[in-house]
Amino acid sequence: MYITHYVVNVQTNATGDGIGYTDAPVNGFIRAIRYVKPTAGSFAAGVDFEVTAEQSGVVIWDQDDVNASVTVYPRAAICDTAGVASLYAENGEPVEDLIPIANERVKITVANGGDGGVGTFHVYVG
């Protein structure tokens, strides 16, 4: 399997909001996203992230109140051809699969990050 690595730096404005994009359209399945909090000048504690596909709006990662560097492996719930959620029989938990993206940039939206905070996101696509 071939993995492509994108690095996105985001800086917040005076209202604590910021947006960043992968430098090129992404093609493949989102394998992982790593947020790296710098030791100085980072986003404020309790920062909120929403990572989506730029055009379709497909949600890849949506998490509030992040305080430290973190790596996530996003997955989405799947369904059958009738649109009914596929569940594991034993405990009713959703079955999940990788999130596909085709010819769209990954958009990273930051909120509540404080004035002038910065952070780096590593997006891995395969």
Side-chain angles (χ1 to χ4, degrees):
M1 170 188 3
Y2 182 76
I3 299 287
T4 303
H5 174 219
Y6 301 88
V7 177
V8 180
N9 294 302
V10 179
Q11 182 170 3
T12 55
N13 58 25
T15 63
D17 300 331
I19 297 176
Y21 299 89
T22 54
D23 59 355
V26 168
N27 287 290
F29 294 95
I30 302 295
R31 296 291 179 165
I33 301 174
R34 171 124 178 102
Y35 160 61
V36 178
K37 180 176 181 169
T39 55
S42 63
F43 299 135
V47 65
D48 304 333
F49 301 141
E50 182 177 42
V51 180
T52 59
E54 179 183 19
Q55 295 168 340
S56 66
V58 169
V59 177
I60 300 167
W61 176 31
D62 186 359
Q63 184 173 346
D64 295 340
D65 302 323
V66 178
N67 294 317
S69 296
V70 62
T71 302
V72 296
Y73 302 88
R75 302 295 184 265
I78 64 171
C79 64
D80 64 18
T81 57
V84 177
S86 297
L87 303 174
Y88 288 105
E90 187 171 312
N91 56 7
E93 293 294 320
V95 177
E96 297 176 330
D97 203 355
L98 295 169
I99 300 169
I101 303 296
N103 295 317
E104 296 186 67
R105 295 187 303 174
V106 172
K107 177 181 178 182
I108 300 169
T109 303
V110 174
N112 299 316
D115 184 6
V118 296
T120 301
F121 298 82
H122 297 265
V123 180
Y124 300 91
V125 180

